[in-house]
């Protein structure tokens, strides 16, 4: 089991909880989600608790993240989209910190669970749909009708746009899940090569330098991917929120 690269993704109960036949157990995934929230909230609190004209390093990082997300949201959804700034900032920080925590050896990567990433993507689409209908009413449906579409093709185009909209949670969640899952499996495989070759004696130790170099390179790549996937998720969220904020206007 220890050599199985997928073993690291197994979910097991820490505190078994069963309510009316429904399994609500506190699992290792639950634990690392709590740790992610605590680490994120703790950093943002201590980074901004003692604000000064000359910012500390932590305050500089917090301000950089703030401006980064604010700029992203303004570009993606316009000035009116800033109402969703707390949501997008929280989403970005949760995914980023969860990705980074998962990089530590023997730590659990919650974003490698499709249920977690799909829940986040579904939350985004529920907010987009609810706010869109709340603000625009039935006119929100115009997002499924691109401008200047011939009447003959309108039903087909509407159906295609509707299917595209409904599959957004799938594409949004699978992109994050697949990248984190694949990266961690690849790292585990190359790390396994190091252990296996090292057990073969002096020659094996010498040869193991190659997978060791690959493991170091892949770790650096995975750190970049951890940020990029949080960024892509947040950017697409801003684009989808644009439909809710400015839906029906072309």
């Amino acid at each position: 089991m220890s050599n199985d690269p997928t073993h690291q993704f197994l979910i097991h109960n820490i505190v078994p909880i069963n309510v009316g036949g429904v399994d609500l157990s506190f699992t290792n995934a639950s634990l690392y989600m709590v740790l992610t929230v605590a680490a994120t909230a703790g950093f943002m609190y201590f980074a901004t608790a003692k604000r000064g004209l000359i910012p500390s390093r932590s305050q500089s990082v917090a301000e950089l993240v703030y401006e980064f997300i604010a700029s992203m949201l303004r570009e993606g959804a316009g000035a009116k989209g800033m109402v969703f700034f707390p949501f997008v900032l929280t989403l970005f920080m949760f995914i980023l910190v969860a990705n980074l925590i998962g990089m530590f050896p023997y730590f659990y990567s919650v974003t490698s669970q499709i249920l977690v990433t799909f829940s986040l993507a579904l939350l985004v689409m529920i907010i987009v749909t609810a706010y869109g209908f709340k603000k625009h009413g039935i006119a929100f449906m115009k997002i499924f009708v691109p401008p200047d579409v011939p009447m003959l093709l309108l039903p087909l185009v509407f159906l295609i746009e509707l299917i595209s909209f409904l599959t957004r949670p799938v594409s949004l969640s699978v992109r994050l899940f697949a990248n984190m899952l694949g990266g961690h499996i690849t790292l585990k495989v190359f790390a396994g090569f190091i252990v296996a070759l090292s057990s073969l004696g002096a020659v094996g130790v010498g040869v193991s330098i190659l997978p060791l170099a690959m493991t170091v390179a892949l770790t650096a790549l995975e750190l970049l991917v951890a940020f990029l996937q949080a960024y892509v998720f947040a950017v697409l969220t801003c684009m989808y929120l644009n439909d809710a904020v400015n839906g029906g206007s072309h």
Side-chain angles (χ1 to χ4, degrees):
M1 291 287 282
S2 61
N3 294 324
D4 181 5
T6 62
H7 179 65
Q8 58 185 311
F9 306 112
L10 295 179
I11 295 179
H12 58 82
N13 294 343
I14 297 177
V15 181
I17 303 173
N18 192 290
V19 179
V22 179
D23 188 3
L24 300 176
S25 299
F26 188 80
T27 66
N28 53 337
S30 306
L31 173 62
Y32 279 93
M33 281 190 279
V34 171
L35 289 176
T36 298
V37 172
T40 304
F43 169 76
M44 295 302 288
Y45 174 77
F46 288 110
T48 58
K50 296 181 179 178
R51 295 185 296 274
L53 293 177
I54 302 177
S56 62
R57 292 178 181 178
S58 58
Q59 183 183 334
S60 296
V61 173
E63 290 177 354
L64 181 64
V65 172
Y66 182 98
E67 290 298 329
F68 178 70
I69 298 301
S71 175
M72 180 195 304
L73 189 54
R74 279 192 293 265
E75 292 178 5
K80 294 180 181 178
M82 289 302 291
V83 67
F84 291 106
F85 175 78
F87 172 66
V88 178
L89 176 63
T90 302
L91 195 64
F92 173 80
M93 289 298 295
F94 177 85
I95 295 173
L96 177 61
V97 174
N99 290 348
L100 294 177
I101 286 177
M103 291 298 299
F104 287 91
Y106 303 107
F107 278 39
Y108 193 83
S109 175
V110 296
T111 47
S112 64
Q113 289 293 329
I114 187 63
L115 185 60
V116 173
T117 60
F118 184 76
S119 297
L120 294 174
L122 188 61
L123 175 62
V124 170
M125 297 315 300
I126 289 174
I127 291 175
V128 167
T129 305
Y131 187 85
F133 278 112
K134 177 179 180 294
K135 183 175 182 180
H136 304 285
I138 195 65
F140 179 65
M141 298 292 286
K142 289 183 180 179
I143 66 170
F144 304 124
V145 184
D148 303 323
V149 176
M151 288 299 296
L152 185 63
L153 297 176
L154 189 59
L156 178 60
V157 172
F158 179 87
L159 181 61
I160 293 174
E161 291 291 330
L162 179 61
I163 293 173
S164 175
F165 183 85
L166 294 176
T167 55
R168 282 178 179 180
V170 178
S171 61
L172 192 60
S173 60
V174 169
R175 182 182 294 105
L176 174 58
F177 153 75
N179 275 279
M180 301 314 297
L181 182 75
H184 282 73
I185 288 177
T186 305
L187 275 175
K188 182 65 180 288
V189 169
F190 277 96
F193 285 155
I194 299 172
V195 176
L197 290 171
S198 298
S199 64
L200 299 178
V203 176
V205 171
V207 177
S208 68
I209 294 176
L210 295 176
L212 175 61
M214 284 297 299
T215 300
V216 172
L218 284 172
T219 301
L221 179 62
E222 277 299 292
L223 288 172
L224 177 62
V225 170
F227 170 78
L228 287 178
Q229 287 305 309
Y231 170 73
V232 169
F233 201 102
V235 165
L236 291 176
T237 297
C238 292
M239 293 174 60
Y240 299 157
L241 288 171
N242 180 58
D243 289 337
V245 174
N246 304 305
S249 59
H250 299 296

